[in-house]
Each structure stands twice: as C-alpha cells, then as structure tokens.
Amino acid sequence: AAMAAERALAMATCTAPVNIAVIKYWGKRDTDLILPINSSLSVTLHQDQLKTTTTAAASRDFTEDRLWLNGKEADVGHPRVQACLREGERPCPPRGRRGGSEDSAALSLSYKIHIASENNFPTAAGLASSAAGYACLVSALARLYGLEEELSEVARRGSGSACRSMFGGFVQWQRGERPDGTDSLALQVAPETHWPELRVLVLVVSGEKKPVGSTAGMQTSVETSPLLKHRAEVVVPERLAQMMQHIRDRDFEGFGQLAMRDSNQFHATCLDTFPPIFYLTDVSRHIIALAHRYNAHHGHTKV
Amino acid sequence: AAMAAERALAMATCTAPVNIAVIKYWGKRDTDLILPINSSLSVTLHQDQLKTTTTAAASRDFTEDRLWLNGKEADVGHPRVQACLREGERPCPPRGRRGGSEDSAALSLSYKIHIASENNFPTAAGLASSAAGYACLVSALARLYGLEEELSEVARRGSGSACRSMFGGFVQWQRGERPDGTDSLALQVAPETHWPELRVLVLVVSGEKKPVGSTAGMQTSVETSPLLKHRAEVVVPERLAQMMQHIRDRDFEGFGQLAMRDSNQFHATCLDTFPPIFYLTDVSRHIIALAHRYNAHHGHTKV
C-alpha cells in the first residue's frame, strides 16, 4: 500500500466490442439492479470495425472524478457510471489479492479517477454503444484495480446488454433467478472460432437519437404490454433453446430466420406498449422488405 | 310461382354502412366459412358520410349473373360473392314463406341476377369497404328474395367484418364455438342512440391498396405469430368485457384508450408475422404521436 501511495498515476486502456442481440432483451424485473425479464443471446462483432476504447487513470493529483465521452465531458455522477465505479472501489481484500497487486485497494479508495471513452461509430444510432461503453469502462477499471472477478455482473449494472460485450463469439445473458442478481450473468455459448464465416452487415439508417430511450421505453412496455409478458414467459425460453441449437449446428437458415422473427417480435412489443414506441422507420421497413425479396428470389435465407 | 315467372324484372336497392372495429378481428379458425379466432367489436358509422349503395336486379331476360363495382364490371364468380348469391338461392320454403312472397324461391332459382355496387369513399383505403360492400349485397339480395332470416351469418361469408355492418350502433361479432359457424353472428350491443355524442374522425392517409391483403395477411399471422395466438386466447376475451363496460358507462377515456391499445396490438401481431406485415406508415405514426401529444396536453383522452 505504501508503494501505491507514491505512484503519481496509474492508467489502463481497454477496448470493447459491440454486440447484436439475436434473441432480444427488452424489459427489466429489477430496474435498480438491471435484472431482465428474459434471457437474451447475442453475437459479438469483431473489433476491427466497431469498438469503444476507454482509458481509466487514477492519480492522487486528481481532485475529483471526471468522465469524457467522445472528447466531451459528461456527468461522472450518473448513477450507472457510479454503480461501475463503486464496484471497483469496494474494499475487498480477497479480490485485491487475486488481482496480485496489493496496492489496488489503496488505489481505488484514495485516488480520484479520470475516464475517457471513445466510440469509432455513431453513438446514438442504436448500435449498442452503451453496451460497448460500459463493458469497456468495467474492463478498464478492472485492469486498473487488478481485479479478476466475474465482471459481467458489474458491466450489467452499467447497461444490461453491456454484460454480453464482455465476451466474444456467441453470448447468452442468463436472466437469473436470485433477487440480488448474482446469477444474472453473461456466459459464452460458443467462441468466435466456432462459426468464422458468419457475417453481420450493419446498415446505419439514421444518426439521430431514438425517440424514446431504452430505459424508459422498456419500463413502459413492462407496465403496459400484455404481449411482452407472454413473450418473456413463454416465447423466449423456447426460442433461446432453438437459437442455441442453430448456433451449435451452424444452421444459417434457422439462425437467420429466428433472428428476424425475434427482432420483429421485439418491435411488436414496442408497438403494443402504451403509448406505442416506434423504432422502425420507413427506411428500415424498406430494408426488411428488400431482405425478404432477396431471400425469396434465392429460395432460401441468405440475409 | 306463376306470378313471379311473368314479372320481367325484380329489383331492390339497399345502402350499408362502414364499421370501425375497436376490438379488432385478425385471424380465421376456418378460412372457408370465415370463422374468426376471436370475437370483435365495432362502431357502425352513420351513413350520412360513408356508405355503399347496391342494387340487385333479377330478370328472366338476363342470360348470366353480372356484377359492377364502382361502375366497373367485376368477377361475379368470386367465391365470396358466390357464397352470398347461393345463400339467397337456397330452395328453403319456410324462409320464402316468412318473407311473405311465394315467388321468392322461383325468382332465385330460375332468374339470373345483375348487381351494381358503389362506395362513396375510396375503396382501397382500409375503410372496411368490403364489409360495407358485402353487408349491402346481402341486404339487397334478401330484400329481392324477401328473406328475413339471420343475415349476419350470410354477410360473414362474404367478408368477416361485413356481419358487423348489418347493424347500427355498437356491434359485437361473436366468435362462436360451432364448427359450422351458425353461432358466429353479429349482435347489436347498443344502438346508435345510446351514445349519440360519440364522433369518429376518419383520416385517409393513402388511397393505395394495402401491400398485403387482409385475407392472405391474417392467414400468415395465424400460421406464424405466437403473439396473435396469445392475443386471441387471453387478451381479447378480457378486453371485450372491458370494452362492453366502457360502452355501457359511456366512458370515453376508457373506451378511447382501449381502442388505441387494441389497434396497436393488432398492428403488433402484424409485425410479429413472418414475413412481417406493415400497415402503419410514417404518416399514420405521426398522426398517432400527434393524438398522444394532444391528449397529454389536455391531461386526458380527448381523441
């Protein structure tokens, strides 16, 4: 601990990927702990194209915690950011020991922290930027503090889907049963090497912010949509098992069709929300129709 | 019968109204008999604004059945038109007697028929033109043949929702239980005099034909949408009871909100269909958003 106190600056940089859910997450059973009403499953994209890069620095010269997003200072006091920061600062000796550096606990307790995070893609375009962002923040903090524990639980506290960006390949976020959320974790279903020829085409239709944010939107859906309740209780458990099998079999036809159906059903529950939430635009609807015409022309699911 | 044979021409003209469902019909359990998977409930609009006018004429000089829609000759052999025509021609003495004219049966069996039907509104704009059209056809034929039986069952064979246009005011189309459809009938829940201040504002957003017709669309929905199944089995029975209560109480807040929710849920099941069906356009979405903003401004449901 004495050694740590003399270090002027400790710094760690990480990158984190975007993930695209093929069985969607929509709806929380606990809004504070961010516990979902259904399990979800995603594909993690390669960081060659889209990624978040975050540097976390701790110094005794810093007088306050600060945060920059894409070069612009942001509110470090945001409850979700604080949930991730506090997690690293918990004085927890066994964890510090596991990390191998005895100065970690001291670092985290006494030093203020500066965080800079950047996306190499449009932040508000629905590309799971908060997922990549919080996954990256938690990874950078963990490296800074030398933590090696289960980090997806911490990332989940930043943004639900962030827990899935802690792994590559195919990742399931287990709903979990416990009220404290300790079993609501991300697990890798298959590594990226399992299905290397799979490609995800990302079409950015608009750079504008969503008309209703996910947090408020999904809460309204939980409160007002009878179809969302049925989806979470009955439809998703069946689909999750099917999707795992399609991934195991590398069955693109089954995988692609089920991903389309599940995406549509998510949008359907948004429409069943009162007042209704519209995330699809005429442009995205045209792209969907184009994909169906393309597949019909080829006689099977190619996109 | 001898008298009838000497009449050169028998003719009857009727008008029929458009109805707007507030608990929607979507999905058949029998495609041939047009039996729905759920009951529905509608408001019949006043014929001062929108109506269909149909004239049916029978003559021994006619050599074949013919049909004109909005002045243009159409296919009289269409199975649904035939279902309505054959119904009038069933040699059924007790019915003829009830009608009071003994020549009815002879008329219907031996004479060819000419039908002309006109809408005073855009036919393809989603305004239930086929409902009004078939209700009108069945009424005109019944008058021609002097029939007085339960006609909503016959109208239903033309177009499901046509059975609801056989009555004014608030009309329920009972799902029915029997496989032969004899209990799948329309019933008036309350006459138009029950809630005279209720107004329906019809906004025609497009005069174009729907991208997917109702018949094909709802069949695909029945086959592919798990949410539609849940809607029909669980959600609609609850909502139907609520809606009847709102009508009884003349509770516009409850009536309007439930009508909005149910319309949205119908569109949600279209979106949950594979491939998805889109009936809402950006224009209709803007109108929906405008109505919600207007109501939010006034603090309660006015539209």
Side-chain angles (χ1 to χ4, degrees), chain B residues 11-55:
Chain B
M11 203 161 86
T13 296
C14 285
T15 65
V18 162
N19 72 77
I20 304 286
V22 290
I23 299 291
K24 300 281 190 196
Y25 153 53
W26 194 252
K28 297 182 182 77
R29 61 193 161 94
D30 185 313
T31 53
D32 191 40
L33 294 174
I34 311 194
L35 301 176
I37 59 171
N38 62 265
S39 297
S40 55
L41 205 157
S42 61
V43 180
T44 297
L45 304 192
H46 199 288
Q47 297 190 48
D48 274 0
Q49 280 82 41
L50 308 177
K51 68 178 169 200
T52 297
T53 305
T54 300
T55 297

Side-chain angles (χ1 to χ4, degrees), chain A residues 230 265 268 272 278 282 285, chain B residues 230 265 268 272 278 282 285:
Chain A
H230 179 70
Q265 186 167 94
D272 190 47
F278 305 115
D282 275 352
R285 269 189 303 279
Chain B
H230 179 71
Q265 185 168 95
D272 189 48
F278 306 114
D282 274 353
R285 271 189 302 280

Side-chain angles (χ1 to χ4, degrees), chain A residues 1-299:
Chain A
M3 224 174 73
E6 315 217 340
R7 272 211 278 160
L9 184 75
M11 204 160 86
T13 296
C14 285
T15 65
V18 162
N19 72 76
I20 304 287
V22 290
I23 298 291
K24 301 281 189 195
Y25 153 53
W26 193 251
K28 298 183 182 77
R29 61 193 161 94
D30 185 312
T31 53
D32 191 40
L33 294 174
I34 310 193
L35 302 177
I37 59 171
N38 63 264
S39 298
S40 55
L41 205 158
S42 60
V43 180
T44 298
L45 304 193
H46 199 288
Q47 297 190 48
D48 274 0
Q49 280 81 39
L50 308 177
K51 69 178 169 197
T52 296
T53 305
T54 300
T55 298
S59 167
R60 57 179 172 184
D61 297 334
F62 294 161
T63 54
E64 53 178 352
D65 292 336
R66 292 178 76 182
L67 171 67
W68 290 263
L69 298 180
N70 298 315
K72 216 181 129 188
E73 184 146 20
D75 177 20
V76 77
H78 191 288
R80 301 240 184 139
V81 174
Q82 287 296 313
C84 295
L85 281 176
R86 292 293 84 77
E87 200 60 31
E89 291 185 0
R90 277 205 312 227
C92 179
R95 203 192 292 161
R97 271 207 297 280
R98 258 189 290 149
S101 69
E102 285 170 19
D103 53 357
S104 300
L107 235 186
S108 61
L109 282 168
S110 56
Y111 285 34
K112 295 297 177 187
I113 213 155
H114 284 187
I115 301 155
S117 186
E118 303 220 7
N119 299 325
N120 71 345
F121 57 88
T123 295
L127 275 167
S129 59
S130 65
Y134 280 105
C136 206
L137 172 64
V138 168
S139 301
L141 290 173
R143 186 168 299 175
L144 189 67
Y145 296 143
L147 308 179
E148 277 179 5
E149 69 193 295
E150 166 56 56
L151 294 175
S152 81
E153 195 196 332
V154 185
R156 192 200 73 225
R157 299 289 305 277
S159 170
S161 54
C163 70
R164 296 189 311 239
S165 272
M166 301 302 284
F167 300 94
F170 301 86
V171 184
Q172 186 191 150
W173 171 15
Q174 287 188 321
R175 178 192 182 281
E177 297 299 328
R178 293 190 209 126
D180 68 356
T182 48
D183 59 347
S184 190
L185 307 170
L187 298 168
Q188 192 183 57
V189 169
E192 53 271 46
T193 52
H194 170 71
W195 199 351
E197 63 274 29
L198 187 72
R199 291 290 175 275
V200 174
L201 197 62
V202 173
L203 307 180
V204 176
V205 160
S206 163
E208 276 181 50
K209 229 179 146 177
K210 283 181 283 191
V212 177
S214 301
T215 299
M218 69 174 73
Q219 204 45 36
T220 312
S221 294
V222 167
E223 285 158 15
T224 64
S225 169
L227 298 186
L228 178 61
K229 192 171 183 301
H230 179 70
R231 164 177 166 75
E233 287 172 4
V234 178
V235 182
V236 167
E238 289 169 13
R239 288 190 168 177
L240 202 72
Q242 284 166 16
M243 191 59 100
M244 307 263 269
Q245 192 58 49
H246 293 320
I247 292 169
R248 255 177 247 125
D249 299 342
R250 292 187 209 95
D251 168 5
F252 185 75
E253 184 92 18
F255 175 84
Q257 279 218 14
L258 189 52
M260 286 189 268
R261 285 176 198 259
D262 204 68
S263 173
N264 293 339
Q265 186 167 94
F266 149 65
H267 288 292
T269 64
C270 289
L271 193 41
D272 190 47
T273 299
F274 190 83
I277 303 168
F278 305 115
Y279 287 146
L280 293 176
T281 67
D282 275 352
V283 177
S284 40
R285 269 189 303 279
H286 279 126
I287 293 169
I288 289 170
L290 176 67
H292 284 287
R293 278 199 302 275
Y294 184 85
N295 288 335
H297 175 76
H298 287 281

Side-chain angles (χ1 to χ4, degrees), chain B residues 152-231:
Chain B
S152 81
E153 195 197 331
V154 185
R156 193 200 74 225
R157 298 290 303 276
S159 170
S161 55
C163 70
R164 296 189 312 239
S165 272
M166 301 302 285
F167 300 95
F170 301 85
V171 184
Q172 187 192 148
W173 172 16
Q174 287 189 322
R175 180 192 181 281
E177 298 299 328
R178 294 190 209 126
D180 67 356
T182 48
D183 59 347
S184 190
L185 306 170
L187 300 168
Q188 193 184 58
V189 168
E192 52 271 44
T193 52
H194 170 71
W195 199 350
E197 63 273 32
L198 187 71
R199 290 289 175 276
V200 174
L201 197 62
V202 173
L203 307 179
V204 175
V205 160
S206 162
E208 276 180 51
K209 230 179 144 176
K210 282 182 283 191
V212 177
S214 303
T215 299
M218 68 174 73
Q219 204 44 36
T220 312
S221 294
V222 167
E223 284 158 15
T224 64
S225 169
L227 299 186
L228 178 62
K229 193 172 182 303
H230 179 71
R231 163 177 168 73

Side-chain angles (χ1 to χ4, degrees), chain B residues 14-16 50-55 68-72 115-121 123 132-133 136:
Chain B
C14 285
T15 65
L50 308 177
K51 68 178 169 200
T52 297
T53 305
T54 300
T55 297
W68 290 262
L69 296 180
N70 298 314
K72 216 181 128 188
I115 301 155
S117 186
E118 302 220 7
N119 299 324
N120 70 345
F121 57 89
T123 295
C136 207

